[in-house]
Amino acid sequence: QVQLVESGGGLVQAGGSLRLSCAASGSIFGIRTVGWYRQAPGNQRELVAEMPSDSSTDYADSVKGRFTITRDNAKNAVDLLMNSLKPEDTSVYYCRAEVAQQYGGRWDTYWGQGTQVTVSS
């Protein structure tokens, strides 16, 4: 089985910064696309940033220029650095990873448990 564990959420004032981290553990042969999503109460889960295995990046328009996604393949980890935070960034943030548990095996999608980010005005 594969687990994704997030850390780094919390309460921050508008204009501040936070770094979210996500570490994958378990039976892992390879990790393809990794990403961060968020979901506020009453809203659908939305993409924040993602990074395929070629290390290209894709960001939601609302976070471009403020958030940066990075990955450490050796540690099976992905971070999200969030700068210039705004109250509208308040949400539960989830990491997501596409994982193969063996060579030639299928790629399955795993989610972390979520971490709360609250930005006060």
Side-chain angles (χ1 to χ4, degrees), residues 41-91:
N43 291 351
Q44 289 189 333
R45 191 170 296 188
E46 62 177 4
L47 172 70
V48 176
E50 69 175 8
M51 179 182 283
S53 54
D54 65 1
S55 296
S56 61
T57 56
D58 186 26
Y59 294 95
D61 288 342
S62 59
V63 307
K64 283 181 181 176
R66 299 189 297 122
F67 291 11
T68 303
I69 186 172
T70 58
R71 65 189 292 171
D72 185 333
N73 293 325
K75 296 181 179 179
N76 291 331
V78 55
D79 284 5
L80 184 69
L81 176 61
M82 305 183 294
N83 294 322
S84 303
L85 282 161
K86 304 175 181 180
E88 50 264 44
D89 294 317
T90 295
S91 192

